[in-house]
Amino acid sequence: MNAPHAMTAGTAAPATARYDWGAALKDASLAALVTLGLCIPIVLLRTDQGAGVDLLLRPRIGMVASFVAAVFAARLLHHVLLARRAGRPLVEQKAEVRTTPNAVPWAKMGLYAFMGVAMSFPLIVFLIQGGLSESRYWVDLGILVLTYVMLGWGLNIVVGLAGLLDLGYVAFYAVGAYSYALLSTTFGLSFWICLPLAGILAAFWGMLLGFPVLRLRGDYLAIVTLAFGEIIRLVLINWVDFSGGGAGISSIPRVTFFGVPFSADEGGFASLFGLTFSPMHRVIFLYYLILGLAFLTAFVTLRLRKLPVGRAWEALREDEIACRSLGINTTNTKLTAFATGAMFGGFAGSFFAVRQGFISPESFTFLESAVILAIVVLGGMGSQLGVAIAAIVMVAGPELLRNLGFLKAVFGESFDPNEFRFLIFGLGMVAMMIWRPRGLISEREPTAILKERRAISGSHVKEGHG
Amino acid sequence: MSASVTTAPAAAGTALWERDAVLAVDHLTMRFGGLVAVNDLSFRAGRGDITALIGPNGAGKTTVFNCITGFYKPTEGMMTLRQEEGATYLLERLPGHSVNWKARVARTFQNIRLFTGMTVLENLLVAQHNKLMIASGFSVLGLLGIGPYRADEARAIEKAKYWLDKIGLTDRADDPAGDLPYGDQRRLEIARAMCTDPILLCLDEPAAGLNPRESNELNRLLLDIRRDQGTSLLLIEHDMSVVMEISDHVVVLDYGTKIADGTPGEIRDDPKVIAAYLGVEDDEVEKVEAEVGV
């Protein structure tokens, strides 16, 4: 957009510069015009079922007008904000620049706060909803969010720390899920034995993927990892004898409380602890199980970052050639990153299988990889807290947007908020790209300090070449 | 190809660097398709010497460096590195990272390659990766918090402090490397290379872009490194004041071929070197043209 350059003008001569309102008005009109152009094919005509088979076209001129007006107003408001910023004295601006971004204690506090809320979430929901069964929806949503938090943290090792763009992360999730499903249904192994096995198998597949792609960078690496994800899915669909094909694997054994089943009969969890049986016991146990797994991921990642291997990952993201000149075996370093990330994907996968009780290749499409990658990128590559927030936004966000009933008061009774939740979600993403293009938390925390802890601004941190 | 190689006139092959060479390059040839970047190059770099590799732009100096430090596999030739304890490494046969870790050859880059998003201190710690990796039990023991990793990391930080002090960046240890001014980045890159405990340090145009004062500081730093660490230096340089002031031995390349090899004094007066840098006089051109028959 040809917005008037108020910012640059403001920094040059702030006190005297007058904001160019003519240009602002022109810009806002242009935005309104673009909106009009977009609205004519998308919003203007609505097809309603007539009395018979015929369709009735109903023009919605009022709606288009309100959209255009809204965009015009929003754009103008943006300019008002810019003008106010331009009007600020220069001294104040300088002071703003001087304060180095010291987000480290803040980020750490945030992570602890997230952990605290996550730990007490079922209790909070129980108190608010006033009963176990009533809180089922929320605890289920919590489990879903935490699964993505864990996947995000796992992928963060590969993408955020080592800077290797992996578009096929869901493959390891699938390997983990099928490992548990097949091992438990075929050999009757318990979940607690299968969990580490699933991690090991996924890590092994991570290495297998790692070897051929070691020489690739950037787009080429992304394509091969994408293909790997698809290959795994297609093998699972087509190798019917092994994986059950598209029908998937059903009746996977449910999770047990370290050997005690969550059943209503004698010897079950409820009777053992003298509680009245409720299916929610299992759900809440699953919640804490995924919470534990996610915390394990975060703990290991934070710890690895401070070890030489973690520093080597980050150095690899910054400059691979310099790494090699310093005697770092880049092959092994990349493989460990792939394997570690894949292992956590495997853990999450076996959790998915034990939670669902049924898995099929349908659950492991490219869209899943894209969502996980979006979580990592949105959160800020390498940031634990950012990824956690992004997972909540990405997974719980569209869910929560279902409850937009109050908008009916604005747009009338016929307005269905469900139809617009992804539009609102998309708007949010666009806003993110404008204001925080490097993710929610782009500052990097140093892994070793001599005197003073300072966060490193995201502008210095490289994103890796693939 | 009978390349016109001027052997050092200093007592026919008994120059200091011939007697105890830390690096011996023999018949090194590097071809990129049809282009011969380095042609049958042989030279010695003496132990404890500062050897300068000079030549006009495009003479193949950086290609030689890339061969020595394992970034290119040479088409032909042999590069032998002799450590003081007697261990010998054929650099062309080592995998890339082993050139630094096993043979202990470190390098810097013409266009500085620091880890800009990491702090100055972290840059120096990454350089000590392999030692720390072993100390952390290849991450397994370190993850569990057992083993000697803590003590070793403290030692690594001490070493980083030593080098920070040496290059005068102690105050900026916790700043991102990308925030440093250019001259400091150059020195940090040298310090980072030195943190790998090299016996041969290869510097690719360390004085490029430095002002005279910084260039002087650099000379002092390089001489200190040689004196205190006993590291041999091999440097590519265009700044003749640096070359003439600190180097013991100069090798001149032109079009991938060695045209002169000797002490700075000898090189300064060598007509071939002057011709390569400044061009030849007009009557010589006429003479050649007459021979060819233009």
Side-chain angles (χ1 to χ4, degrees):
Chain A
M1 288 269 168
N2 46 358
H5 294 286
M7 299 279 286
T8 46
T11 46
T16 52
R18 281 188 53 81
Y19 200 76
D20 188 356
W21 287 109
L25 219 58
K26 202 172 142 194
D27 181 56
S29 318
L30 191 68
L33 204 68
V34 170
T35 315
L36 183 68
L38 283 173
C39 279
I40 286 171
I42 300 174
V43 184
L44 184 62
L45 293 172
R46 184 190 168 109
T47 50
D48 282 329
Q49 189 86 51
V53 287
D54 50 338
L55 287 172
L56 294 176
L57 279 181
R58 190 158 61 79
R60 297 189 292 184
I61 295 162
M63 198 168 198
V64 172
S66 63
F67 273 18
V68 171
V71 167
F72 183 80
R75 191 76 195 167
L76 212 58
L77 191 71
H78 182 218
H79 280 297
V80 170
L81 289 177
L82 278 183
R84 285 189 47 171
R85 196 182 298 178
R88 262 187 236 161
L90 186 65
V91 188
E92 196 189 333
Q93 281 210 340
K94 233 183 175 176
E96 258 182 355
V97 175
R98 280 301 303 161
T99 51
T100 43
N102 200 347
V104 175
W106 180 81
K108 201 156 226 164
M109 298 266 282
L111 196 60
Y112 288 144
F114 170 75
M115 285 181 170
V117 170
M119 297 263 280
S120 48
F121 180 72
L123 186 68
I124 296 169
V125 168
F126 175 75
L127 291 177
I128 291 175
Q129 299 286 324
L132 271 180
S133 352
E134 287 84 357
S135 48
R136 166 122 205 188
Y137 169 75
W138 290 99
V139 177
D140 267 336
L141 185 61
I143 291 174
L144 190 68
V145 169
L146 281 176
T147 312
Y148 280 93
V149 168
M150 178 171 179
L151 286 168
W153 280 344
L155 184 63
N156 201 7
I157 296 174
V158 186
V159 179
L161 294 184
L164 302 160
L165 184 56
D166 186 350
L167 289 180
Y169 192 63
V170 78
F172 308 122
Y173 191 42
V175 168
Y178 272 86
S179 299
Y180 171 63
L182 289 171
L183 286 173
S184 63
T185 51
T186 320
F187 301 108
L189 295 179
S190 92
F191 175 71
W192 297 102
I193 296 170
C194 290
L195 184 68
L197 282 179
I200 290 168
L201 280 170
F204 169 73
W205 281 96
M207 298 261 250
L208 271 193
L209 166 67
F211 270 112
V213 303
L214 279 172
R215 289 159 181 277
L216 306 178
R217 305 173 127 215
D219 307 351
Y220 304 98
L221 176 75
I223 290 167
V224 174
T225 52
L226 177 87
F228 183 77
E230 286 302 290
I231 289 169
I232 294 268
R233 193 172 64 87
L234 290 174
V235 166
L236 290 176
I237 290 176
N238 290 302
W239 193 0
V240 179
D241 295 342
F242 172 73
S243 66
I249 301 171
S250 51
S251 58
I252 300 167
R254 290 293 172 97
V255 73
T256 58
F257 185 77
F258 306 103
V260 182
F262 288 95
S263 56
D265 52 356
E266 200 65 27
F269 175 81
S271 68
L272 193 69
F273 288 89
L275 304 165
T276 41
F277 172 77
S278 159
M280 274 302 287
H281 290 157
R282 192 180 61 84
V283 178
I284 290 184
F285 180 69
L286 280 173
Y287 179 86
Y288 281 106
L289 177 63
I290 187 66
L291 188 66
L293 286 172
F295 281 1
L296 179 78
T297 315
F299 174 76
V300 169
T301 313
L302 287 175
R303 192 106 199 187
L304 281 176
R305 265 199 77 207
K306 297 196 192 276
L307 286 173
V309 69
R311 279 195 205 113
W313 286 340
E314 293 201 75
L316 200 68
R317 175 191 67 202
E318 300 284 323
D319 195 325
E320 188 178 341
I321 289 176
C323 275
R324 201 138 63 96
S325 84
L326 295 172
I328 295 173
N329 187 336
T330 49
T331 311
N332 289 356
T333 310
K334 280 186 189 176
L335 283 182
T336 49
F338 265 119
T340 317
M343 182 179 76
F344 291 118
F347 286 156
S350 63
F351 172 82
F352 177 75
V354 81
R355 180 198 170 204
Q356 299 291 84
F358 164 76
I359 52 167
S360 76
E362 288 292 295
S363 311
F364 309 105
T365 53
F366 169 68
L367 190 68
E368 290 294 309
S369 290
V371 167
I372 303 165
L373 188 68
I375 286 172
V376 174
V377 174
L378 197 69
M381 299 207 297
S383 159
Q384 302 286 308
L385 177 65
V387 168
I389 296 172
I392 295 170
V393 171
M394 288 283 295
V395 182
E399 243 355 89
L400 297 180
L401 286 178
R402 282 181 195 279
N403 313 319
L404 290 176
F406 65 90
L407 282 182
K408 279 189 179 169
V410 183
F411 292 104
E413 266 316 296
S414 61
F415 179 79
D416 182 6
N418 263 333
E419 283 179 12
F420 289 90
R421 67 197 173 103
F422 276 100
L423 181 74
I424 294 167
F425 190 64
L427 271 177
M429 297 286 271
V430 171
M432 269 290 303
M433 288 301 107
I434 293 170
W435 282 296
R436 297 215 69 110
R438 295 184 68 104
L440 287 169
I441 298 179
S442 57
E443 283 92 10
R444 179 181 168 270
E445 188 188 350
T447 62
I449 41 163
L450 203 56
K451 290 194 191 87
E452 190 189 353
R453 184 177 291 276
R454 287 175 213 154
I456 297 170
S457 137
S459 57
H460 288 295
V461 182
K462 297 213 174 81
E463 284 151 349
H465 322 274
Chain B
M1 286 205 193
S2 61
S4 53
V5 175
T6 328
T7 42
T14 54
L16 277 169
W17 49 84
E18 299 280 348
R19 270 185 255 145
D20 184 13
V22 64
L23 175 73
V25 174
D26 292 297
H27 306 289
L28 178 72
T29 301
M30 184 75 210
R31 290 194 202 97
F32 296 103
L35 176 80
V36 184
V38 180
N39 185 14
D40 198 25
L41 172 71
S42 302
F43 72 93
R44 302 278 180 271
R47 191 178 305 284
D49 276 357
I50 297 182
T51 310
L53 194 59
I54 65 170
N57 283 332
K61 305 179 296 286
T62 300
T63 309
V64 174
F65 258 44
N66 283 340
C67 289
I68 292 171
T69 51
F71 283 92
Y72 293 159
K73 290 283 165 239
T75 320
E76 285 166 30
M78 182 163 92
M79 297 169 295
T80 322
L81 187 107
R82 280 198 191 78
Q83 293 183 352
E84 214 154 7
E85 310 87 70
T88 308
Y89 294 93
L90 292 175
L91 297 182
E92 73 276 7
R93 296 202 184 160
L94 288 179
H97 60 274
S98 296
V99 173
N100 180 283
W101 172 231
K102 300 279 186 224
R104 292 167 64 198
V105 177
R107 75 168 291 179
T108 65
F109 296 87
Q110 194 172 350
N111 41 353
I112 307 172
R113 284 182 173 275
L114 286 172
F115 306 124
T116 51
M118 302 174 88
T119 65
V120 171
L121 178 66
E122 283 178 304
N123 267 274
L124 298 182
L125 289 181
V126 170
Q128 303 174 54
H129 171 80
N130 285 317
K131 269 189 195 163
L132 289 174
M133 199 71 183
I134 293 169
S136 71
F138 296 93
S139 308
V140 178
L141 296 181
L143 201 57
L144 302 171
I146 45 177
Y149 177 65
R150 253 168 208 287
D152 278 57
E153 195 189 30
R155 223 167 295 144
I157 290 179
E158 279 308 311
K159 185 183 209 166
K161 265 183 176 164
Y162 170 83
W163 281 107
L164 285 173
D165 188 43
K166 202 106 186 144
I167 59 172
L169 285 181
T170 312
D171 290 340
R172 307 213 56 180
D174 296 318
D175 285 339
D179 256 356
L180 298 180
Y182 190 79
D184 289 351
Q185 293 199 6
R186 280 255 174 239
R187 288 208 305 282
L188 177 59
E189 205 191 14
I190 295 172
R192 189 182 67 179
M194 284 310 294
C195 275
T196 65
D197 292 323
I199 59 164
L200 177 67
L201 175 63
C202 302
L203 302 164
D204 198 342
E205 300 205 22
L210 301 188
N211 62 35
R213 191 179 55 80
E214 287 174 322
S215 172
N216 258 332
E217 275 173 20
L218 176 78
N219 285 356
R220 264 208 310 284
L221 176 67
L222 296 184
L223 289 171
D224 277 1
I225 285 174
R226 175 169 69 162
R227 193 189 64 224
D228 300 341
Q229 319 295 323
T231 308
S232 316
L233 275 76
L234 179 65
L235 60 115
I236 292 177
E237 193 47 79
H238 278 300
D239 187 339
M240 281 304 143
S241 68
V242 174
V243 172
M244 293 303 164
E245 200 172 312
I246 66 169
S247 59
D248 307 295
H249 172 197
V250 181
V251 178
V252 190
L253 283 187
D254 193 18
Y255 294 111
T257 309
K258 185 166 87 169
I259 58 170
D261 185 342
T263 61
E266 291 160 4
I267 295 302
R268 198 189 324 231
D269 303 326
D270 194 310
K272 277 197 187 124
V273 177
I274 297 167
Y277 268 93
L278 302 176
V280 291
E281 285 170 31
D282 284 351
D283 53 340
E284 273 185 61
V285 176
E286 277 163 27
K287 205 163 71 190
V288 173
E289 278 179 346
E291 278 172 22
V292 180
V294 180

